[in-house]
Amino acid sequence: MRRAFISPAKYVQGENEILNLGYFIKTFGESALLIASKDDAARVKDKLVHTMKEYGVTIVESGFNGECSRQEVARLQQLAKEHNCACTIGLGGGKAIDAAKCVAEGEALIIVPTIAATDAPTSHSAVLYTPEGEFDDYAYFKQSPSVVLIDTTVIANAPTRFLVAGMGDALSTYFEARATAKSYSNVNAGLPCGRIEGVGEPAKGTKAALALAKLCYETLLEDGYKAKLASDANIVTPALENIIETNILLSGLGFESGGLAAAHAIHNGLTALEGAHHFFHGEKVAFTTIVQLVLENAHKEELDEVLGFCVSVGLPVCLADIGVHEVTREELMNVAVKACIPEESIHSMPFPVTPDDVVGAMIVADQLGQQFKARI
């Protein structure tokens, strides 16, 4: 059986860590292209100036337009070439990070998240959009980022909602990896969607990935609420440090090397419900994790544990919590059909899943969430 595990070459996390960014640039050369929104670049401007002086490097600002499109990627690659940049820095949220991955194409890439809202910073994939912001395609690269650099002081000063959303994304990691392991399904660490030539055959997950995914869940239960309080106060505590690592590193390694299953597929189906569009990825994944547990007929104790965690940190547990206050069975079926298309990860569940199964699980999960909130 072929197994695969993928990870960044280096992960570094600490207070004011951006002050050391120049050291990592220096390992590649004398200059780097910075891909970041104006606001994100301004938030850390003093640290960027300090690290350039400290390590004698140049950081070239790119004027990133905010959209990870093919056109913007081509412009940024040309800019990097004109300035002879030795590496690429993706600083900020998802689209800046994805644009940096596309520009670097798997080489000399430093990722510096300013929020801990998803597990995308460690991955070797990106999402491309049109210049108008509509989904275009997925992109996969031969390896994960060279360096993932986390400044916990910056993340502690970001709105807490981002951190909580990251916990929602991380919440699904263990349950999806567990399902993938039971079904012996392929994982993204192998050959993702057959889009990379010469990489080899698809691969199954490793025991290491499943163990990290389980640690991800255990750390959420142990430190999630305490980390939320620290974020509310904009201070770095051991609990916040643990949850930042959980949201970004443990969840990132867990999802790519452990596998995705029903939770993320049903999340993707939720694009059919307009009311859910204004909620973050991880907020919706928290609810769809409960849906997956219903599909699995999980023990009541496990369901209650997940529901209790979500309520404690402010994650959604029912459809109303993600903006869906009224919904018809036909609308839910549209979600379910999207979730069950042949290429979706729902087929990594250890049993066949039909759109009817998904509709039923969403209805029951919604009721469970409502009833749990009414009891507390």
Side-chain angles (χ1 to χ4, degrees):
M1 181 187 297
R2 184 172 190 265
R3 301 185 183 190
F5 184 92
I6 192 168
S7 68
K10 185 179 287 290
Y11 177 93
V12 182
Q13 172 184 314
E15 294 182 64
N16 296 310
E17 196 61 45
I18 291 175
L19 294 177
N20 297 318
L21 177 59
Y23 167 82
F24 296 103
I25 295 172
K26 200 81 171 178
T27 63
F28 299 108
E30 302 299 321
S31 65
L33 181 70
L34 176 67
I35 299 174
S37 71
K38 287 184 178 180
D39 288 344
D40 281 324
R43 285 172 61 195
V44 298
K45 185 71 174 180
D46 290 347
K47 292 181 180 181
L48 294 177
V49 170
H50 179 278
T51 201
M52 283 192 286
K53 291 179 179 178
E54 180 73 15
Y55 293 98
V57 296
T58 301
I59 296 176
V60 179
E61 295 200 28
S62 65
F64 176 54
N65 71 8
E67 206 57 72
C68 181
S69 66
R70 296 174 190 272
Q71 294 86 340
E72 179 68 350
V73 168
R75 183 188 72 83
L76 293 168
Q77 287 177 327
Q78 180 60 34
L79 187 64
K81 185 177 181 179
E82 290 172 0
H83 288 270
N84 197 29
C85 294
C87 62
T88 306
I89 302 168
L91 183 148
K95 291 191 176 181
I97 288 172
D98 279 357
K101 291 178 183 178
C102 293
V103 169
E105 295 182 334
E107 300 285 356
L109 173 63
I110 303 172
I111 298 296
V112 187
T114 55
I115 54 176
T118 72
D119 49 23
T122 64
S123 81
H124 74 312
S125 61
V127 182
L128 283 160
Y129 296 86
T130 67
E132 294 73 35
E134 297 177 8
F135 172 79
D136 179 1
D137 200 0
Y138 294 105
Y140 295 91
F141 306 100
K142 65 180 182 180
Q143 60 194 16
S144 298
S146 309
V147 179
V148 177
L149 185 73
I150 313 292
D151 190 322
T152 54
T153 310
V154 172
I155 291 178
N157 282 279
T160 299
R161 185 182 174 190
F162 289 118
L163 184 81
V164 171
M167 287 192 262
D169 198 20
L171 177 64
S172 72
T173 304
Y174 170 58
F175 300 110
E176 293 190 282
R178 181 177 73 179
T180 300
K182 287 181 179 179
S183 66
Y184 293 95
S185 295
N186 296 325
V187 299
N188 278 350
L191 181 63
C193 302
R195 298 189 184 196
I196 303 179
E197 295 182 4
V199 176
E201 295 301 316
K204 315 303 178 185
T206 61
K207 289 177 69 66
L210 185 59
L212 290 171
K214 187 176 182 182
L215 178 60
C216 179
Y217 179 58
E218 292 169 346
T219 309
L220 288 173
L221 296 181
E222 176 65 26
D223 288 322
Y225 179 68
K226 293 178 288 184
K228 178 183 181 299
L229 296 179
S231 180
D232 286 341
N234 303 124
I235 55 174
V236 177
T237 65
L240 180 63
E241 290 175 326
N242 288 345
I243 290 301
I244 291 170
E245 179 183 344
T246 296
N247 286 7
I248 296 174
L249 182 62
L250 295 179
S251 184
L253 300 182
F255 100 80
E256 278 210 300
S257 296
L260 298 175
H264 270 78
I266 299 168
H267 162 275
N268 295 342
L270 284 174
T271 58
L273 298 181
E274 186 175 348
H277 290 179
H278 302 293
F279 287 80
F280 293 156
H281 171 84
E283 292 171 331
K284 290 178 282 189
V285 168
F287 173 68
T288 58
T289 298
I290 300 166
V291 178
Q292 175 174 321
L293 291 173
V294 172
L295 277 171
E296 294 175 318
N297 195 25
H299 292 298
K300 183 178 183 299
E301 292 79 8
E302 188 170 65
L303 271 165
D304 282 347
E305 186 175 66
V306 170
L307 287 164
F309 167 75
C310 288
V311 170
S312 73
V313 297
L315 283 167
V317 295
C318 60
L319 286 169
D321 289 346
I322 54 171
V324 182
H325 299 281
E326 294 183 6
V327 66
T328 65
R329 192 177 186 90
E330 181 181 6
E331 289 171 327
L332 290 179
M333 181 57 72
N334 289 337
V335 173
V337 168
K338 287 180 180 291
C340 292
I341 60 175
E343 57 268 35
E344 265 297 357
S345 58
I346 201 165
H347 304 295
S348 292
M349 296 296 289
F351 46 81
V353 181
T354 68
D356 283 330
D357 295 331
V358 175
V359 170
M362 283 192 290
I363 292 171
V364 172
D366 181 49
Q367 289 297 312
L368 285 170
Q370 291 183 50
Q371 291 171 11
F372 190 89
K373 291 196 331 184
R375 294 202 308 263
I376 58 176

